């Protein structure tokens, strides 16, 4: 299930992603797909982009597991 998100709290977002049981795939503008669940180097890169972008980062993610999807949606709804 695809989601387009504007992340305003990257630390808590990544914490939520790391609590997921399945892959949480970042979909780049060029169509490249990278699983960010528990992927420290990718998460560090996202955190840097977030800080460089004045603490906001828009992204598309694809979540395979329904329980993980709900976890991310609940995080996002509570963080906005």
């Amino acid at each position: 299930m695809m989601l387009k998100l504007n992340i305003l709290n990257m630390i808590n977002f990544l914490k939520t992603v790391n609590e997921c049981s399945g892959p949480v795939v970042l979909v780049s503008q060029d169509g490249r797909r990278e699983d960010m669940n528990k992927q420290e180097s990718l998460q560090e890169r996202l955190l840097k982009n977030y800080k460089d972008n004045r603490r906001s980062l828009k992204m598309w993610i694809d979540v395979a597991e329904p329980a993980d999807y709900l976890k991310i949606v609940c995080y996002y709804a509570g963080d906005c």
Side-chain angles (χ1 to χ4, degrees):
M1 294 167 252
M2 289 284 274
L3 291 166
K4 181 181 181 182
L5 305 174
N6 183 24
I7 304 301
L8 301 175
N9 185 336
M10 185 61 77
I11 299 295
N12 285 340
F13 172 72
L14 293 175
K15 180 180 174 189
T16 301
V17 167
N18 288 336
E19 292 172 355
C20 291
S21 60
V24 178
V25 178
L26 174 66
V27 182
S28 301
Q29 290 180 347
D30 63 5
R32 194 171 29 127
R33 301 170 63 86
E34 298 176 87
D35 182 10
M36 68 175 127
N37 190 357
K38 300 175 186 78
Q39 300 300 313
E40 195 171 311
S41 62
L42 174 56
Q43 291 183 8
E44 287 175 5
R45 193 172 78 227
L46 289 172
L47 189 56
K48 181 187 179 320
N49 291 343
Y50 163 81
K51 288 177 181 176
D52 291 347
N53 199 43
R54 299 182 189 165
R55 304 208 181 284
S56 174
L57 189 63
K58 293 180 180 169
M59 63 176 65
W60 282 92
I61 61 171
D62 189 7
V63 184
E65 299 292 327
D68 293 340
Y69 176 83
L70 287 175
K71 192 176 292 186
I72 290 172
V73 168
C74 288
Y75 155 78
Y76 192 72
D79 194 55
C80 293

